[in-house]
Amino acid sequence: MRSPEYVKELVTHHVGGLLKIAPEHTEEGTLSKMMKPGIGAYDEFKEMFDRFSVEAGKKQYLIPYFIAAHPGTTDQDMLNLALWLKKNDFKLDQVQTFMPTPMAMATTMYHTRKNPLHKVTADSEVVETARSGKIRRTHKAFLRYQDPANWPILREALVNMGRSDLIGNGDKHLIPAWTSSESGGLAAGERSRQTSGAGTPDKFKAPVGKSRVALGGTAAAPKVTAVESKVRPSILSTIKTRAKPVAAPPAGKRGAGAVASAGRGGRK
């Protein structure tokens, strides 16, 4: 990727406007665990990419890919990456947190906290690994420092790291200290909970849609409207409840029966 001829051919004839590239990180400690070059290689490639795009008369852009919580990554590494992203005006949308998968070198580092790229001994290098959910969320939040949903966890992390100087509303700060949207949303939520029957048990609250009873008055009984059930009966129940037709007797028998009834009535 450092060959100008190769990059020129790629940019001129094989890029359709966007090119994804994976520098993965900015810190040497993390990149060494990935067997990747430093961030300088990305800067060098980007310079050639932009230059050859202009020469070709094409507007093209790089989409860099970064990862959070990779083995060998510390909180300070993620902070440095976030500062680099802001300096270069990158606002990432889709990011990934490292997930150990079988047959991967990084998975070995994750489970053993050792670096198999070098000789492993009892006192060999210990690989820092983000395991707890909170640390992994914090590392991912650094990648998306521009997202208001990540500001609370980043404020806590920066204070714990002794970098509260990066919290503020100026250009030199990473995240704002306070925003009207955060405060307004919280206040609105609190007001909503406080004004919706505060201090009144649910069973004593007036039902929705009914007016409150005036002091000293009574409430009219609610009008009950019968709702016709539209549940269709099953075929089996229809068969069971259907009246069986009675076959009419033959004419001769019907006459004899009538005579017998008349005779019984006469004797009575």
Side-chain angles (χ1 to χ4, degrees):
M1 298 295 283
R2 293 182 176 179
S3 169
E5 293 78 12
Y6 175 84
V7 176
K8 183 175 182 178
E9 173 69 20
L10 174 69
V11 170
T12 305
H13 303 291
H14 304 282
V15 177
L18 300 175
L19 177 64
K20 294 183 178 181
I21 188 171
E24 303 273 14
H25 218 281
T26 59
E27 302 307 295
E28 292 291 340
T30 303
L31 291 172
S32 66
K33 308 301 186 297
M34 305 177 186
M35 296 183 290
K36 286 204 165 193
I39 194 63
Y42 167 81
D43 295 333
E44 182 180 349
F45 177 82
K46 185 179 185 302
E47 186 276 327
M48 290 189 289
F49 180 89
D50 294 340
R51 173 159 50 89
F52 293 134
S53 293
V54 172
E55 292 180 4
K58 302 168 70 175
K59 288 186 178 180
Q60 302 183 136
Y61 305 92
L62 289 176
I63 301 179
Y65 167 84
F66 296 93
I67 191 170
H70 190 277
T73 306
T74 64
D75 294 350
Q76 185 63 46
D77 292 334
M78 293 307 303
L79 172 57
N80 293 340
L81 173 54
L83 294 173
W84 185 91
L85 292 172
K86 182 170 184 178
K87 178 182 177 182
N88 290 274
D89 197 28
F90 279 121
K91 294 180 173 62
L92 306 183
D93 183 22
Q94 297 180 349
V95 297
Q96 181 181 354
T97 305
F98 170 79
M99 183 64 65
T101 56
M103 306 301 291
M105 192 74 70
T107 302
T108 303
M109 300 179 190
Y110 177 86
H111 288 289
T112 65
R113 288 191 171 94
K114 293 292 184 179
N115 186 359
L117 297 174
H118 304 286
K119 184 177 180 179
V120 176
T121 61
D123 56 351
S124 60
E125 175 190 7
V126 177
V127 179
E128 295 286 346
T129 306
R131 292 172 175 272
S132 71
K134 184 175 182 179
I135 296 177
R136 290 169 63 85
R137 288 192 299 271
T138 301
H139 283 200
K140 187 176 181 179
F142 273 119
L143 286 180
R144 303 197 68 246
Y145 65 91
Q146 79 280 1
D147 187 354
N150 293 328
W151 292 344
I153 191 172
L154 288 179
R155 290 192 189 105
E156 180 183 356
L158 290 173
V159 169
N160 293 337
M161 296 170 65
R163 295 305 308 270
S164 56
D165 58 298
L166 295 174
I167 304 174
N169 300 322
D171 294 336
K172 66 177 182 179
H173 301 111
L174 181 63
I175 58 173
W178 172 87
T179 62
S180 58
S181 61
E182 286 182 293
S183 177
L186 180 62
E190 291 296 333
R191 285 196 299 270
S192 175
R193 285 191 291 270
Q194 291 174 3
T195 56
S196 60
T200 305
D202 293 341
K203 64 180 180 179
F204 295 120
K205 292 181 182 178
V208 178
K210 297 181 181 180
S211 61
R212 295 179 179 272
V213 181
L215 184 62
T218 57
K223 183 183 293 185
V224 180
T225 304
V227 180
E228 182 181 355
S229 175
K230 295 184 179 181
V231 180
R232 298 179 62 182
S234 64
I235 297 177
L236 182 61
S237 62
T238 304
I239 295 174
K240 289 182 177 179
T241 57
R242 184 179 298 172
K244 295 183 179 179
V246 179
K253 292 183 179 180
R254 186 167 57 246
V259 173
S261 295
R264 286 195 298 271
R267 285 193 300 272
K268 195 174 183 178

Short mmCIF file of all heavy atoms in Angstrom, two decimals, residues 63-109:
data_model
loop_
_atom_site.label_atom_id
_atom_site.label_comp_id
_atom_site.label_asym_id
_atom_site.label_seq_id
_atom_site.Cartn_x
_atom_site.Cartn_y
_atom_site.Cartn_z
N ILE A 63 -12.95 5.78 4.37
CA ILE A 63 -13.75 5.46 5.55
C ILE A 63 -12.88 4.58 6.45
O ILE A 63 -12.73 3.38 6.20
CB ILE A 63 -15.05 4.73 5.18
CG1 ILE A 63 -15.89 5.59 4.24
CG2 ILE A 63 -15.84 4.37 6.43
CD1 ILE A 63 -17.18 4.92 3.80
N PRO A 64 -12.28 5.15 7.49
CA PRO A 64 -11.41 4.35 8.37
C PRO A 64 -12.22 3.50 9.34
O PRO A 64 -13.31 3.88 9.77
CB PRO A 64 -10.58 5.41 9.10
CG PRO A 64 -11.47 6.60 9.14
CD PRO A 64 -12.29 6.57 7.88
N TYR A 65 -11.69 2.36 9.67
CA TYR A 65 -12.34 1.41 10.58
C TYR A 65 -11.48 1.29 11.83
O TYR A 65 -10.26 1.12 11.75
CB TYR A 65 -12.48 0.06 9.89
CG TYR A 65 -12.83 -1.08 10.82
CD1 TYR A 65 -14.15 -1.33 11.18
CD2 TYR A 65 -11.84 -1.91 11.33
CE1 TYR A 65 -14.47 -2.37 12.03
CE2 TYR A 65 -12.15 -2.96 12.18
CZ TYR A 65 -13.46 -3.18 12.52
OH TYR A 65 -13.77 -4.20 13.36
N PHE A 66 -12.12 1.40 13.00
CA PHE A 66 -11.42 1.30 14.28
C PHE A 66 -12.15 0.31 15.17
O PHE A 66 -13.34 0.04 14.98
CB PHE A 66 -11.33 2.66 14.97
CG PHE A 66 -10.51 3.68 14.22
CD1 PHE A 66 -11.11 4.56 13.33
CD2 PHE A 66 -9.13 3.74 14.40
CE1 PHE A 66 -10.35 5.48 12.63
CE2 PHE A 66 -8.37 4.66 13.71
CZ PHE A 66 -8.98 5.54 12.81
N ILE A 67 -11.45 -0.21 16.15
CA ILE A 67 -12.02 -1.22 17.05
C ILE A 67 -11.73 -0.83 18.49
O ILE A 67 -10.71 -0.20 18.79
CB ILE A 67 -11.44 -2.63 16.73
CG1 ILE A 67 -12.23 -3.71 17.48
CG2 ILE A 67 -9.96 -2.70 17.07
CD1 ILE A 67 -11.88 -5.12 17.03
N ALA A 68 -12.65 -1.20 19.37
CA ALA A 68 -12.52 -0.90 20.79
C ALA A 68 -12.27 -2.18 21.58
O ALA A 68 -12.70 -3.27 21.18
CB ALA A 68 -13.78 -0.21 21.31
N ALA A 69 -11.59 -2.05 22.71
CA ALA A 69 -11.41 -3.13 23.68
C ALA A 69 -10.60 -4.31 23.13
O ALA A 69 -10.74 -5.43 23.62
CB ALA A 69 -12.77 -3.62 24.20
N HIS A 70 -9.75 -4.07 22.15
CA HIS A 70 -8.88 -5.14 21.66
C HIS A 70 -7.83 -5.45 22.72
O HIS A 70 -7.39 -4.56 23.45
CB HIS A 70 -8.20 -4.70 20.36
CG HIS A 70 -7.47 -5.81 19.66
ND1 HIS A 70 -6.19 -6.19 20.01
CD2 HIS A 70 -7.84 -6.61 18.62
CE1 HIS A 70 -5.80 -7.17 19.22
NE2 HIS A 70 -6.78 -7.46 18.38
N PRO A 71 -7.42 -6.72 22.89
CA PRO A 71 -6.37 -7.04 23.85
C PRO A 71 -5.13 -6.16 23.62
O PRO A 71 -4.70 -5.96 22.49
CB PRO A 71 -6.06 -8.51 23.55
CG PRO A 71 -7.36 -9.05 23.03
CD PRO A 71 -7.96 -7.94 22.24
N GLY A 72 -4.61 -5.65 24.72
CA GLY A 72 -3.48 -4.74 24.65
C GLY A 72 -3.89 -3.29 24.68
O GLY A 72 -3.04 -2.39 24.62
N THR A 73 -5.20 -3.01 24.80
CA THR A 73 -5.71 -1.64 24.80
C THR A 73 -6.03 -1.20 26.22
O THR A 73 -6.73 -1.90 26.95
CB THR A 73 -6.98 -1.53 23.93
OG1 THR A 73 -6.70 -2.05 22.63
CG2 THR A 73 -7.42 -0.09 23.82
N THR A 74 -5.54 -0.03 26.60
CA THR A 74 -5.82 0.54 27.91
C THR A 74 -6.79 1.71 27.76
O THR A 74 -7.09 2.15 26.64
CB THR A 74 -4.52 1.04 28.57
OG1 THR A 74 -3.98 2.11 27.77
CG2 THR A 74 -3.50 -0.07 28.68
N ASP A 75 -7.28 2.20 28.89
CA ASP A 75 -8.15 3.37 28.85
C ASP A 75 -7.42 4.56 28.22
O ASP A 75 -8.02 5.33 27.45
CB ASP A 75 -8.61 3.73 30.27
CG ASP A 75 -9.50 2.67 30.88
OD1 ASP A 75 -9.92 1.75 30.15
OD2 ASP A 75 -9.80 2.77 32.08
N GLN A 76 -6.14 4.72 28.53
CA GLN A 76 -5.38 5.82 27.97
C GLN A 76 -5.24 5.68 26.45
O GLN A 76 -5.30 6.68 25.72
CB GLN A 76 -3.98 5.87 28.61
CG GLN A 76 -3.15 7.07 28.18
CD GLN A 76 -3.76 8.39 28.59
OE1 GLN A 76 -4.19 8.55 29.73
NE2 GLN A 76 -3.80 9.34 27.67
N ASP A 77 -5.10 4.46 25.97
CA ASP A 77 -5.03 4.24 24.52
C ASP A 77 -6.31 4.69 23.85
O ASP A 77 -6.28 5.33 22.78
CB ASP A 77 -4.78 2.76 24.22
CG ASP A 77 -3.40 2.30 24.65
OD1 ASP A 77 -2.48 3.13 24.71
OD2 ASP A 77 -3.24 1.08 24.93
N MET A 78 -7.45 4.36 24.45
CA MET A 78 -8.73 4.75 23.85
C MET A 78 -8.93 6.26 23.92
O MET A 78 -9.50 6.86 23.00
CB MET A 78 -9.89 4.03 24.55
CG MET A 78 -9.92 2.53 24.34
SD MET A 78 -9.89 2.02 22.60
CE MET A 78 -11.32 2.88 21.95
N LEU A 79 -8.46 6.88 24.98
CA LEU A 79 -8.54 8.34 25.07
C LEU A 79 -7.71 8.99 23.98
O LEU A 79 -8.16 9.93 23.31
CB LEU A 79 -8.08 8.80 26.45
CG LEU A 79 -7.93 10.32 26.64
CD1 LEU A 79 -9.24 11.05 26.34
CD2 LEU A 79 -7.44 10.65 28.05
N ASN A 80 -6.50 8.49 23.77
CA ASN A 80 -5.64 9.04 22.71
C ASN A 80 -6.28 8.86 21.34
O ASN A 80 -6.18 9.75 20.48
CB ASN A 80 -4.27 8.37 22.75
CG ASN A 80 -3.48 8.72 24.00
OD1 ASN A 80 -3.77 9.72 24.66
ND2 ASN A 80 -2.50 7.91 24.33
N LEU A 81 -6.92 7.73 21.14
CA LEU A 81 -7.61 7.50 19.87
C LEU A 81 -8.75 8.49 19.69
O LEU A 81 -8.95 9.04 18.60
CB LEU A 81 -8.12 6.06 19.80
CG LEU A 81 -9.01 5.69 18.61
CD1 LEU A 81 -8.33 6.02 17.29
CD2 LEU A 81 -9.39 4.22 18.67
N ALA A 82 -9.52 8.72 20.75
CA ALA A 82 -10.63 9.68 20.67
C ALA A 82 -10.13 11.08 20.35
O ALA A 82 -10.74 11.80 19.55
CB ALA A 82 -11.42 9.67 21.98
N LEU A 83 -9.01 11.48 20.95
CA LEU A 83 -8.44 12.80 20.68
C LEU A 83 -7.96 12.89 19.23
O LEU A 83 -8.09 13.94 18.58
CB LEU A 83 -7.30 13.09 21.64
CG LEU A 83 -7.69 13.24 23.12
CD1 LEU A 83 -6.46 13.36 24.00
CD2 LEU A 83 -8.61 14.45 23.31
N TRP A 84 -7.40 11.81 18.71
CA TRP A 84 -6.98 11.79 17.31
C TRP A 84 -8.18 11.90 16.38
O TRP A 84 -8.13 12.61 15.36
CB TRP A 84 -6.21 10.50 17.03
CG TRP A 84 -5.63 10.40 15.65
CD1 TRP A 84 -4.38 10.80 15.24
CD2 TRP A 84 -6.27 9.86 14.48
NE1 TRP A 84 -4.21 10.55 13.90
CE2 TRP A 84 -5.36 9.96 13.41
CE3 TRP A 84 -7.52 9.30 14.24
CZ2 TRP A 84 -5.66 9.54 12.12
CZ3 TRP A 84 -7.83 8.87 12.96
CH2 TRP A 84 -6.90 8.99 11.92
N LEU A 85 -9.27 11.20 16.72
CA LEU A 85 -10.48 11.28 15.91
C LEU A 85 -11.03 12.70 15.87
O LEU A 85 -11.42 13.20 14.81
CB LEU A 85 -11.54 10.32 16.45
CG LEU A 85 -11.26 8.82 16.30
CD1 LEU A 85 -12.30 8.00 17.06
CD2 LEU A 85 -11.21 8.41 14.84
N LYS A 86 -11.05 13.36 17.02
CA LYS A 86 -11.57 14.72 17.05
C LYS A 86 -10.65 15.67 16.30
O LYS A 86 -11.12 16.56 15.57
CB LYS A 86 -11.74 15.18 18.49
CG LYS A 86 -12.34 16.59 18.58
CD LYS A 86 -12.75 16.99 19.96
CE LYS A 86 -13.42 18.35 19.92
NZ LYS A 86 -13.88 18.79 21.26
N LYS A 87 -9.35 15.49 16.45
CA LYS A 87 -8.40 16.35 15.75
C LYS A 87 -8.58 16.25 14.24
O LYS A 87 -8.47 17.25 13.52
CB LYS A 87 -6.98 15.95 16.14
CG LYS A 87 -5.90 16.75 15.42
CD LYS A 87 -4.51 16.27 15.81
CE LYS A 87 -3.43 17.01 15.03
NZ LYS A 87 -2.06 16.50 15.38
N ASN A 88 -8.88 15.07 13.74
CA ASN A 88 -9.06 14.85 12.31
C ASN A 88 -10.52 14.94 11.88
O ASN A 88 -10.85 14.58 10.74
CB ASN A 88 -8.48 13.49 11.92
CG ASN A 88 -6.97 13.44 12.01
OD1 ASN A 88 -6.27 13.80 11.07
ND2 ASN A 88 -6.46 13.01 13.14
N ASP A 89 -11.37 15.40 12.79
CA ASP A 89 -12.79 15.64 12.51
C ASP A 89 -13.50 14.37 12.03
O ASP A 89 -14.30 14.39 11.10
CB ASP A 89 -12.96 16.75 11.47
CG ASP A 89 -14.38 17.30 11.44
OD1 ASP A 89 -15.05 17.24 12.49
OD2 ASP A 89 -14.83 17.78 10.38
N PHE A 90 -13.18 13.25 12.68
CA PHE A 90 -13.87 12.00 12.39
C PHE A 90 -14.98 11.81 13.43
O PHE A 90 -14.74 11.89 14.63
CB PHE A 90 -12.92 10.80 12.45
CG PHE A 90 -12.10 10.61 11.22
CD1 PHE A 90 -10.72 10.64 11.29
CD2 PHE A 90 -12.69 10.40 9.99
CE1 PHE A 90 -9.95 10.46 10.16
CE2 PHE A 90 -11.93 10.22 8.85
CZ PHE A 90 -10.56 10.25 8.93
N LYS A 91 -16.19 11.54 12.94
CA LYS A 91 -17.32 11.22 13.80
C LYS A 91 -17.84 9.86 13.35
O LYS A 91 -18.66 9.77 12.43
CB LYS A 91 -18.39 12.30 13.73
CG LYS A 91 -17.96 13.64 14.31
CD LYS A 91 -19.06 14.67 14.22
CE LYS A 91 -18.67 15.95 14.95
NZ LYS A 91 -17.48 16.59 14.37
N LEU A 92 -17.37 8.83 14.00
CA LEU A 92 -17.69 7.46 13.59
C LEU A 92 -19.13 7.13 13.93
O LEU A 92 -19.67 7.56 14.93
CB LEU A 92 -16.73 6.48 14.28
CG LEU A 92 -15.23 6.75 14.10
CD1 LEU A 92 -14.43 5.66 14.78
CD2 LEU A 92 -14.86 6.84 12.63
N ASP A 93 -19.72 6.33 13.07
CA ASP A 93 -21.10 5.89 13.29
C ASP A 93 -21.14 4.42 13.67
O ASP A 93 -21.58 4.05 14.76
CB ASP A 93 -21.92 6.15 12.03
CG ASP A 93 -23.39 5.79 12.21
OD1 ASP A 93 -23.83 5.75 13.37
OD2 ASP A 93 -24.10 5.56 11.22
N GLN A 94 -20.66 3.56 12.79
CA GLN A 94 -20.66 2.13 13.07
C GLN A 94 -19.28 1.71 13.58
O GLN A 94 -18.28 1.83 12.87
CB GLN A 94 -21.01 1.36 11.80
CG GLN A 94 -22.41 1.64 11.29
CD GLN A 94 -22.73 0.86 10.03
OE1 GLN A 94 -21.86 0.26 9.42
NE2 GLN A 94 -23.99 0.87 9.64
N VAL A 95 -19.24 1.26 14.81
CA VAL A 95 -17.99 0.82 15.43
C VAL A 95 -18.19 -0.57 16.01
O VAL A 95 -19.32 -1.03 16.19
CB VAL A 95 -17.54 1.81 16.53
CG1 VAL A 95 -17.25 3.18 15.93
CG2 VAL A 95 -18.58 1.93 17.63
N GLN A 96 -17.09 -1.22 16.34
CA GLN A 96 -17.15 -2.59 16.84
C GLN A 96 -16.31 -2.74 18.10
O GLN A 96 -15.24 -2.15 18.21
CB GLN A 96 -16.66 -3.57 15.77
CG GLN A 96 -16.70 -5.03 16.21
CD GLN A 96 -16.17 -5.96 15.14
OE1 GLN A 96 -15.88 -5.53 14.03
NE2 GLN A 96 -16.04 -7.23 15.46
N THR A 97 -16.81 -3.52 19.01
CA THR A 97 -16.06 -3.90 20.20
C THR A 97 -15.49 -5.30 19.99
O THR A 97 -16.19 -6.18 19.49
CB THR A 97 -16.97 -3.88 21.45
OG1 THR A 97 -17.56 -2.59 21.56
CG2 THR A 97 -16.16 -4.15 22.71
N PHE A 98 -14.26 -5.49 20.38
CA PHE A 98 -13.61 -6.78 20.16
C PHE A 98 -14.40 -7.91 20.80
O PHE A 98 -14.86 -7.82 21.94
CB PHE A 98 -12.19 -6.76 20.74
CG PHE A 98 -11.53 -8.12 20.77
CD1 PHE A 98 -10.98 -8.66 19.63
CD2 PHE A 98 -11.48 -8.86 21.96
CE1 PHE A 98 -10.39 -9.92 19.66
CE2 PHE A 98 -10.89 -10.10 22.00
CZ PHE A 98 -10.34 -10.64 20.84
N MET A 99 -14.54 -9.00 20.05
CA MET A 99 -15.21 -10.20 20.54
C MET A 99 -14.29 -11.39 20.26
O MET A 99 -13.93 -11.64 19.11
CB MET A 99 -16.56 -10.40 19.84
CG MET A 99 -17.34 -11.60 20.36
SD MET A 99 -17.82 -11.41 22.10
CE MET A 99 -18.94 -10.01 21.96
N PRO A 100 -13.87 -12.14 21.29
CA PRO A 100 -12.97 -13.28 21.06
C PRO A 100 -13.66 -14.36 20.23
O PRO A 100 -14.79 -14.75 20.52
CB PRO A 100 -12.65 -13.76 22.47
CG PRO A 100 -13.76 -13.22 23.34
CD PRO A 100 -14.19 -11.94 22.71
N THR A 101 -12.98 -14.82 19.20
CA THR A 101 -13.50 -15.87 18.33
C THR A 101 -12.46 -16.99 18.23
O THR A 101 -11.26 -16.75 18.41
CB THR A 101 -13.80 -15.32 16.93
OG1 THR A 101 -12.61 -14.70 16.40
CG2 THR A 101 -14.92 -14.29 16.97
N PRO A 102 -12.89 -18.20 17.96
CA PRO A 102 -11.94 -19.32 17.90
C PRO A 102 -10.87 -19.13 16.82
O PRO A 102 -11.08 -18.47 15.81
CB PRO A 102 -12.85 -20.52 17.57
CG PRO A 102 -14.22 -20.09 17.99
CD PRO A 102 -14.28 -18.63 17.77
N MET A 103 -9.71 -19.71 17.08
CA MET A 103 -8.60 -19.77 16.13
C MET A 103 -8.01 -18.40 15.82
O MET A 103 -7.40 -18.20 14.78
CB MET A 103 -9.04 -20.45 14.82
CG MET A 103 -9.67 -21.81 14.99
SD MET A 103 -8.56 -23.00 15.80
CE MET A 103 -7.34 -23.21 14.52
N ALA A 104 -8.18 -17.44 16.72
CA ALA A 104 -7.61 -16.11 16.51
C ALA A 104 -6.52 -15.86 17.54
O ALA A 104 -6.64 -16.25 18.71
CB ALA A 104 -8.69 -15.03 16.62
N MET A 105 -5.44 -15.19 17.11
CA MET A 105 -4.35 -14.88 18.01
C MET A 105 -4.80 -13.97 19.15
O MET A 105 -4.41 -14.13 20.30
CB MET A 105 -3.22 -14.22 17.24
CG MET A 105 -1.91 -14.12 18.00
SD MET A 105 -1.06 -15.70 18.15
CE MET A 105 -0.54 -15.95 16.45
N ALA A 106 -5.67 -13.01 18.81
CA ALA A 106 -6.16 -12.08 19.82
C ALA A 106 -6.99 -12.79 20.88
O ALA A 106 -7.02 -12.38 22.04
CB ALA A 106 -6.98 -10.96 19.17
N THR A 107 -7.66 -13.88 20.51
CA THR A 107 -8.44 -14.66 21.48
C THR A 107 -7.52 -15.30 22.51
O THR A 107 -7.85 -15.38 23.70
CB THR A 107 -9.28 -15.73 20.76
OG1 THR A 107 -10.14 -15.08 19.82
CG2 THR A 107 -10.10 -16.53 21.74
N THR A 108 -6.37 -15.76 22.05
CA THR A 108 -5.38 -16.32 22.98
C THR A 108 -4.92 -15.26 23.98
O THR A 108 -4.81 -15.53 25.18
CB THR A 108 -4.17 -16.87 22.20
OG1 THR A 108 -4.62 -17.85 21.26
CG2 THR A 108 -3.15 -17.50 23.14
N MET A 109 -4.68 -14.06 23.48
CA MET A 109 -4.30 -12.97 24.38
C MET A 109 -5.41 -12.64 25.37
O MET A 109 -5.15 -12.36 26.54
CB MET A 109 -3.96 -11.72 23.56
CG MET A 109 -2.82 -11.89 22.58
SD MET A 109 -2.53 -10.36 21.65
CE MET A 109 -1.38 -10.95 20.40
#
